[in-house]
Amino acid sequence: MFAAAIWLLVINTPGWDAVRRSFLSPDTFVAALPRVWDGFLLNLRVLVVAAIAVAIVGTLVAVVRTLRGPVFFPLRALAAGYTDLFRGLPLIIVLYVVGFGLPGLRITEVRVPAEVWGTIALVLTYSAYVGEVIRGGIEAVHPSQMLAARSLGLSRGQALRRVVMPQAVRKMTPALMNDLVSMQKDVGLISVLGAVDAVRAAQIETARAFDFTPYVVAGLLFVLLAIPTIRLTDWYAARLRRREQSGAAL
Amino acid sequence: MNDARATAVLTVEGVRKAFGDTVVLDGIDFEVAPGEVVALIGPSGSGKSTLLRCLNLLEQVDDGRVLLAGDDITDPRVDVDAVRARFGVVFQQYNLFPHLSVLDNVTLALRTVHRVSRVEAERRGLELLGRIGLADHARRHPDGLSGGQQQRAAIVRALAIEPQVLLLDEITSALDPELVGEVLDLVRELAHTTTIVMATHELAFARDVATTLLFLDGGVIVERGGPEMLDAPREERTRAFLSRFRG
């Protein structure tokens, strides 16, 4: 009802015809789709690599932050400083600093493609978020579980892997999947470094056709990518809630 | 090495432990011979639990030594994980792993620490669970079991690694009264074949099962003796504690 009312309002605005021509042109849509799709495949590749890297780096950060004892203070402080910095920095600034600053150091002779710098920036930012989620999950598992595992002779690593992490994962999955949804669209930001991804391809097509429809194409692709993850997150969260309410521990 | 030490499974010498300014253990000495069942009794906060945790190195002692079958396990160079694998520990709150089946709880240490194959570990686990009548529950998760069943499963988990000494920390305190019996029956049975050090409030049970009782108060062993100590305590503090218990 409400949506229909807004829709009626919008299509009765004086500029609607002009906007429709420049955002929703069927011809431009069909013409732009292949290029934008090619760019979108780059987004997907970046997403897969970044997600795997974030899972690894985020876990490392979380484990370092949960280390106890004065010996590990420098490591702990380093990890804490890292998460503070990258959770505070806007992703776009990280992208500029990494994408334009690091190449300037001329570490390698070969030219590193923009999407690689983009991926590094994404991993740096998202590992800080994900590291905090994982740390929260680890700390939500009662310390007596670690104690019981250690008293059976398991090393700290074994206890983390076999006892604490499996329980932590259940607690943190909804939050992690939200971060994944968020990252799925943020991969579009690597376009600011010049990588020809879906957003950049749409920009190029827009300039060619004098028509903004390619952006709509790119937007649609991102939404289609996000929907399964969003549904899955909702379903999983609901299932956890049901289980908790029915009294079962897991 | 003298004779007493050679025969003792566990030797505790002058163990001290403080948390900040609070001295919890103030020079504890005792020995445990193979097959002996030692009961630690005493008021809450007397250091019973801390003492148990010092034995399997969940806490570090400030001073003194603990020898396990002649090995100084309080030596800083000792492999802590290897030492812990020689003790079986059962906690007040069971502390079973909720994400694993009962059988996986029992076999986890065998598989990960002792590198026993899954098939062999499960064979042993099922045999142990069968002995306490829990074989039918082996594939269930702990939350599907009663408190008494969970605690018995926790005892079996501790036994699966074939520990040299079994440490029981107030294992019936969290149980409903009607479930205490089944757990104590299991311990009574184990007492014939296992070396046990237990902290307990179950004085009647301690009298039944323990070969030696140690009465702790204020971080020291006030009195030690056989089961008859409960009937005829020599020390005034023991007497006061026991009379409070009987109401």
Side-chain angles (χ1 to χ4, degrees):
Chain A
M1 248 305 275
F2 189 64
I6 299 240
W7 180 244
L8 272 176
L9 216 69
V10 169
I11 63 171
N12 283 314
T13 49
W16 168 244
D17 269 342
V19 169
R20 196 188 56 187
R21 271 197 305 280
S22 57
F23 275 91
L24 297 170
S25 147
D27 292 342
T28 317
F29 191 100
V30 174
L33 188 57
R35 293 282 177 85
V36 177
W37 175 255
D38 281 348
F40 188 65
L41 291 180
L42 176 66
N43 288 123
L44 279 181
R45 282 205 302 276
V46 168
L47 178 66
V48 170
V49 173
I52 293 169
V54 165
I56 296 167
V57 179
T59 307
L60 281 177
V61 170
V63 169
V64 167
R65 290 207 66 181
T66 52
L67 286 176
R68 290 282 156 262
V71 193
F72 297 112
F73 175 75
L75 270 178
R76 267 204 310 274
L78 196 71
Y82 162 75
T83 51
D84 282 359
L85 181 64
F86 283 93
R87 284 199 301 168
L89 268 181
L91 174 57
I92 195 100
I93 292 177
V94 180
L95 277 164
Y96 283 136
V97 170
V98 171
F100 299 132
L102 290 189
L105 297 176
R106 295 170 205 257
I107 300 163
T108 60
E109 291 297 314
V110 287
R111 210 186 71 83
V112 179
E115 56 264 33
V116 173
W117 296 118
T119 308
I120 292 172
L122 277 166
V123 170
L124 280 173
T125 297
Y126 272 90
S127 295
Y129 286 110
V130 166
E132 285 303 278
V133 171
I134 295 177
R135 180 172 75 105
I138 291 175
E139 288 177 353
V141 175
H142 199 275
S144 63
Q145 290 287 309
M146 177 59 106
L147 219 60
R150 297 303 301 273
S151 70
L152 283 168
L154 272 70
S155 67
R156 194 186 134 82
Q158 287 171 328
L160 262 178
R161 200 158 48 82
R162 309 299 292 261
V163 173
V164 176
M165 281 309 258
Q167 295 180 63
V169 163
R170 285 167 172 82
K171 290 176 201 287
M172 66 204 182
T173 299
L176 285 181
M177 288 173 81
N178 271 325
D179 281 343
L180 180 62
V181 171
S182 175
M183 192 163 79
Q184 280 177 350
K185 54 187 183 185
D186 279 354
V187 290
L189 288 174
I190 62 168
S191 57
V192 302
L193 300 180
V196 185
D197 72 331
V199 177
R200 185 73 172 185
Q203 193 181 14
I204 294 166
E205 291 300 306
T206 296
R208 195 202 307 272
F210 301 112
D211 175 339
F212 291 104
T213 307
Y215 281 124
V216 176
V217 176
L220 205 63
L221 290 176
F222 278 108
V223 172
L224 287 177
L225 173 67
I227 283 175
T229 321
I230 293 171
R231 284 285 87 78
L232 197 65
T233 310
D234 289 351
W235 171 80
Y236 190 81
R239 197 178 74 135
L240 276 186
R241 210 165 36 241
R242 267 201 311 279
R243 291 206 167 187
E244 264 169 32
Q245 279 162 2
S246 71
L250 289 166
Chain B
M1 199 182 277
N2 63 36
D3 284 351
R5 268 189 205 168
T7 53
V9 181
L10 197 63
T11 308
V12 178
E13 293 177 348
V15 162
R16 289 176 48 86
K17 175 76 188 171
F19 296 105
D21 293 335
T22 317
V23 178
V24 182
L25 299 174
D26 196 6
I28 301 283
D29 298 277
F30 67 93
E31 285 196 343
V32 183
E36 208 178 349
V37 177
V38 175
L40 308 174
I41 58 171
S44 303
S46 57
K48 305 187 293 286
S49 291
T50 306
L51 177 54
L52 289 180
R53 291 160 64 110
C54 284
L55 296 185
N56 82 330
L57 308 184
L58 285 177
E59 297 285 356
Q60 243 179 339
V61 301
D62 296 336
D63 198 11
R65 295 201 305 167
V66 179
L67 306 183
L68 179 60
D71 305 329
D72 182 356
I73 60 171
T74 39
D75 185 321
R77 287 163 301 181
V78 87
D79 178 353
V80 172
D81 296 328
V83 168
R84 290 198 184 123
R86 294 166 70 183
F87 285 101
V89 186
V90 184
F91 302 88
Q92 188 173 335
Q93 299 288 349
Y94 338 135
N95 296 357
L96 290 171
F97 306 129
H99 62 298
L100 298 178
S101 71
V102 170
L103 183 58
D104 285 344
N105 263 278
V106 173
T107 59
L108 178 66
L110 283 177
R111 287 181 282 121
T112 55
V113 182
H114 302 268
R115 301 280 165 212
V116 176
S117 73
R118 180 176 270 276
V119 175
E120 170 61 14
E122 296 202 339
R123 192 191 60 73
R124 279 199 237 170
L126 281 172
E127 192 206 313
L128 283 167
L129 286 168
R131 241 188 270 168
I132 60 165
L134 284 181
D136 290 345
H137 299 291
R139 307 283 172 188
R140 296 175 67 176
H141 280 74
D143 58 7
L145 272 59
S146 75
Q149 288 171 330
Q150 289 190 47
Q151 192 59 297
R152 280 153 56 210
I155 293 172
V156 165
R157 177 175 73 178
L159 287 175
I161 57 174
E162 295 176 354
Q164 288 173 290
V165 179
L166 190 60
L167 306 176
L168 310 178
D169 189 2
E170 308 272 9
I171 59 168
T172 56
S173 299
L175 291 173
D176 290 336
E178 74 269 22
L179 300 175
V180 170
E182 59 182 282
V183 173
L184 293 188
D185 285 345
L186 174 58
V187 177
R188 194 173 278 127
E189 205 183 299
L190 294 174
H192 300 304
T193 52
T194 319
T195 309
I196 299 177
V197 180
M198 58 181 180
T200 184
H201 285 306
E202 302 278 344
L203 294 185
F205 173 70
R207 184 214 313 271
D208 246 24
V209 176
T211 48
T212 306
L213 284 94
L214 305 177
F215 173 64
L216 266 75
D217 195 9
V220 295
I221 297 176
V222 175
E223 187 168 349
R224 63 185 83 200
E228 74 284 349
M229 183 178 113
L230 292 174
D231 302 312
R234 294 183 305 272
E235 299 291 330
E236 185 50 42
R237 273 151 87 188
T238 320
R239 208 169 296 144
F241 169 74
L242 291 175
S243 66
R244 240 180 307 136
F245 238 86
R246 294 189 176 120

